[in-house]
Amino acid sequence: MTDLRIKIGDITFSNPVFTASGTFGYGTEVSDLTDVSKLGAIVTKSVTLFPREGNPPPRVVETPAGMINSIGLANVGVERYIREMIPLYDNIGTKVIMNIAGTTLEEYCDVLEKVEVISSNICGYEINISCPNVKKGGMQFGVDSSMTEALTAEMRKRTERLIIMKLSPNVTDITSIAKAAENGGADAVSAINTVVGMSIDSETGKSQIYTTYGGLSGPAIKPIGLATVHKVYQSVNIPVIGLGGITTGLDAVEYLLAGAVAVQVGTATFRHADAGEQIINELHQFGDSKSIEKISSLTGAVKTYTK
Amino acid sequence: MANVQLAKNLWSMKFKAPEIIEEYFGAGQFISILVCDTWEHPLRRPMSIADVKGDCISIIYKTVGAVTKSLAKMHPGDSINVLGPLGNTFTGWEDGRDSILVGGGVGLAPMLNLHKMVKTSTIIIGARTSEEHFLSHSPQEGIFLTTDDGSIGIRGTVIPTLESQVMSKQNPKIFACGPEPMLKAVQSFALENQIPTQLSVESYMACGIGICQGCAIKKTEKEGIMRQTYHEKYDLVCVNGPVFSAEEVTFD
């Protein structure tokens, strides 16, 4: 049987399949539909300093092989998150990565500090610097290398836990942002957040999302995700976590080959809450059929025609 | 098992779903159907439960896009992936003498389900023309059809009929489901006349279980609401609804 364990920083994960932020709540809501403990890790919905209502509807729309969302970081806020969610992680049976979003450097730091001073089994933080759907949702960090580096460094000063910077594909050169995260002291980067998209109903002439543009996810963006992961993998020495349109074990394999150490499953979870579990099973099947000893041997092993 | 056309673009499907029925607790609840195995159309389609009989569930759906059209091509023996039961139910309808049910389009589904529970209730069904109706206009049985063009039943929207029915009841209560313009009209009539009313609303959904936060609906503004809140301004149709009281929600 293939060894699915992978390592990021000092942490060993039981397998490389995580949930993607915003598609699995805080990790505790769907336990009756899937065995959460099977997952390599849960990445929570973005948590901000204060509670957020999110954007007005319509917030989601289906598009060919994908969907556009513009939720607007609706979340309970860090105080309530600490009070109500963190205690539930004691018996969750898997690793928890808390996703943090903010509008200013201070806000990101405040959220992280509030969680750092309490005891919890959160193993790391994914820092959302790439939300496309709120005016000040961190995107100003995600498009700017020096701000990315500064934010990463500030986070690094404040925690020993994993720091994963979540990168946006909606930039001119993602590799420079990835390098900035590495220079700032990040343990890993995750890519890609959603791709800016738009949907129009020709019948009514209406834009289908309140904020006009939203974030495109699902199989429609898988090729973009693969190319991005491959580019980032070649430009940094820290692990890359790949996401964007993963719905099967073979999709996950493709991301690993492109250079990912682990993957996150998002939109697929909306169709089947146990999508992550299925993907883990399919990874095992793939590993067995190819007699792969360690899944980590796949990382970056893609054969390209040119260097 | 059956999949039959009821009226123009309106279909009914009946299928076995014993596990869903085990957890089902009343009219208003819905299921979410994954019609296509391929990812061309990724999202499940939420649909109201129109009937529960034995170990079978019925839904009513309108053939509008590729997904519902392919649903209409399914045959007994085919299988679909169904998640449910989801959402809440209508409440306080037990006294049928006072209950007035209003349905339009596929919004008819939960109203027919409720109508079966409260036999003596009045039901008003709105449509544009006669070809969209499949029941008979029969006021003596409490079934009123309305059409925009008067081709069957009473000419006009459901509202004038609703008004006259409300007048005839001692303690009228309204239960409605249908397209947003209809719900809006029922809501403003109900609020104006202070009639207890429950509305079942439709929404686009990605997950149906409260995770994606996609199916937000605006709550009626309350005084003293703080600036930074969570779920004080918006509810989620999938877990807080689909049934809301007329006072609770605001349509834009």
Side-chain angles (χ1 to χ4, degrees):
Chain A
M1 205 154 104
T2 308
D3 182 355
L4 291 193
R5 287 175 302 173
I6 57 108
K7 232 177 144 184
I8 298 172
D10 293 333
I11 312 268
T12 302
F13 295 87
S14 63
N15 68 69
V17 181
F18 303 178
T19 61
S21 179
T23 64
F24 211 70
Y26 300 102
T28 56
E29 295 93 329
V30 290
S31 47
D32 53 334
L33 292 175
T34 182
D35 184 356
V36 173
S37 72
K38 294 264 170 65
L39 297 163
I42 284 162
V43 183
T44 72
K45 179 154 188 58
S46 284
V47 178
T48 51
L49 186 56
F50 299 109
R52 286 182 58 94
E53 285 287 349
N55 293 333
R59 293 178 175 180
V60 291
V61 65
E62 184 180 86
T63 57
M67 61 175 278
I68 294 176
N69 86 78
S70 181
I71 308 300
L73 300 177
N75 81 95
V76 296
V78 69
E79 303 278 358
R80 203 169 138 195
Y81 175 75
I82 289 171
R83 224 168 41 237
E84 294 175 18
M85 313 296 170
I86 286 186
L88 301 176
Y89 295 153
D90 288 345
N91 304 309
I92 201 162
T94 186
K95 300 216 152 32
V96 179
I97 296 168
M98 177 191 178
N99 184 294
I100 298 176
T103 59
T104 63
L105 199 136
E106 291 72 30
E107 250 182 66
Y108 281 99
C109 292
D110 280 0
V111 174
L112 188 120
E113 278 171 2
K114 281 181 196 291
V115 180
E116 277 295 298
V117 296
I118 58 155
S119 99
S120 75
N121 65 356
I122 285 173
C123 78
Y125 305 97
E126 183 180 65
I127 313 300
N128 183 358
I129 51 167
S130 44
C131 177
N133 298 328
V134 297
K135 280 198 187 97
K136 289 182 174 174
M139 194 60 176
Q140 69 275 31
F141 292 95
V143 298
D144 184 313
S145 325
S146 58
M147 280 176 82
T148 296
E149 186 171 336
L151 175 63
T152 312
E154 287 302 318
M155 306 259 99
R156 181 75 290 162
K157 273 188 222 160
R158 288 167 169 79
T159 184
E160 304 266 288
R161 292 187 170 113
L162 291 183
I163 293 177
I164 303 159
M165 303 304 283
K166 185 166 184 181
L167 308 182
S168 168
N170 309 307
V171 295
T172 345
D173 177 19
I174 195 168
T175 61
S176 64
I177 312 285
K179 280 181 207 152
E182 184 178 33
N183 291 340
D187 296 288
V189 290
S190 47
I192 55 176
N193 205 325
T194 53
V195 179
V196 170
M198 182 174 183
S199 174
I200 300 170
D201 183 339
S202 55
E203 199 56 48
T204 61
K206 276 187 183 166
S207 154
Q208 302 273 75
I209 291 282
Y210 182 86
T211 52
T212 309
Y213 314 120
L216 177 64
S217 66
I221 68 166
K222 195 182 88 175
I224 302 173
L226 283 172
T228 309
V229 164
H230 189 248
K231 283 182 190 174
V232 172
Y233 169 72
Q234 288 180 308
S235 65
V236 296
N237 293 311
I238 51 175
V240 184
I241 301 169
L243 70 153
I246 296 172
T247 68
T248 66
L250 298 184
D251 291 335
V253 168
E254 291 173 27
Y255 267 93
L256 298 179
L257 290 169
V261 164
V263 297
Q264 295 178 0
V265 181
T267 305
T269 313
F270 293 150
R271 255 161 93 105
H272 298 290
D274 63 351
E277 235 181 299
Q278 297 299 341
I279 289 170
I280 294 164
N281 293 338
E282 287 162 17
L283 272 184
H284 269 300
Q285 283 164 21
F286 179 85
D288 289 348
S289 71
K290 300 268 184 186
S291 306
I292 295 164
E293 207 178 309
K294 289 173 189 271
I295 204 80
S296 56
S297 67
L298 293 180
T299 297
V302 64
K303 296 168 198 151
T304 54
Y305 290 96
T306 54
K307 273 274 170 186
Chain B
M1 292 343 82
N3 192 17
V4 293
Q5 186 162 12
L6 299 172
K8 192 188 174 193
N9 299 334
L10 213 57
W11 286 67
S12 166
M13 185 184 269
K14 185 179 167 188
F15 52 86
K16 259 192 197 160
E19 286 168 30
I20 291 175
I21 292 168
E22 223 167 84
E23 290 180 40
Y24 167 77
F25 61 98
Q29 285 199 288
F30 65 100
I31 53 174
S32 201
I33 303 183
L34 187 58
V35 180
C36 310
D37 266 345
T38 65
W39 273 84
E40 197 183 341
H41 299 282
L43 300 187
R44 288 174 177 272
R45 297 295 191 270
M47 294 187 187
S48 272
I49 296 172
D51 194 18
V52 174
K53 209 178 268 168
D55 59 358
C56 284
I57 279 179
S58 296
I59 53 165
I60 293 174
Y61 61 97
K62 199 173 178 179
T63 47
V64 277
V67 171
T68 41
K69 278 175 189 156
S70 70
L71 196 59
K73 287 190 187 122
M74 297 191 81
H75 301 288
D78 295 345
S79 68
I80 46 170
N81 186 301
V82 182
L83 178 70
L86 306 169
N88 63 0
T89 65
F90 291 104
T91 54
W93 41 262
E94 289 75 8
D95 192 346
R97 286 168 306 176
D98 289 329
S99 296
I100 306 166
L101 282 43
V102 185
V106 283
L108 185 57
M111 303 332 297
L112 289 180
N113 196 7
L114 189 58
H115 188 58
K116 217 186 56 181
M117 316 280 297
V118 252
K119 284 228 164 56
T120 46
S121 64
T122 300
I123 185 165
I124 307 164
I125 306 163
R128 272 171 302 211
T129 68
S130 63
E131 52 184 6
E132 293 171 357
H133 278 302
F134 60 94
L135 292 171
S136 308
H137 180 63
S138 115
Q140 63 283 2
E141 290 174 85
I143 302 174
F144 297 84
L145 304 190
T146 71
T147 46
D148 293 351
D149 62 0
S151 52
I152 191 172
I154 304 159
R155 187 189 193 113
T157 72
V158 294
I159 300 298
T161 310
L162 175 61
E163 254 182 275
S164 63
Q165 286 307 306
V166 160
M167 300 287 281
S168 72
K169 313 277 183 197
Q170 218 154 32
N171 299 298
K173 282 180 189 167
I174 304 171
F175 303 89
C177 184
E180 203 169 292
M182 191 198 95
L183 288 185
K184 248 175 155 165
V186 171
Q187 184 190 38
S188 65
F189 170 76
L191 293 178
E192 224 166 86
N193 297 281
Q194 298 185 331
I195 301 155
T197 294
Q198 287 168 22
L199 309 170
S200 175
V201 305
E202 290 174 10
S203 175
Y204 231 122
M205 288 178 192
C207 75
I209 54 174
I211 297 296
C212 75
Q213 306 263 340
C215 57
I217 182 165
K218 200 169 179 188
K219 294 168 94 165
T220 306
E221 263 177 53
K222 286 192 200 119
E223 300 238 344
I225 183 170
M226 298 194 307
R227 205 164 62 89
Q228 281 149 333
T229 57
Y230 176 71
H231 284 193
E232 296 287 325
K233 234 173 115 184
Y234 299 108
D235 263 338
L236 297 180
V237 173
C238 71
V239 290
N240 303 117
V243 180
F244 295 93
S245 77
E247 295 84 13
E248 262 180 296
V249 292
T250 301
F251 301 102
D252 280 324

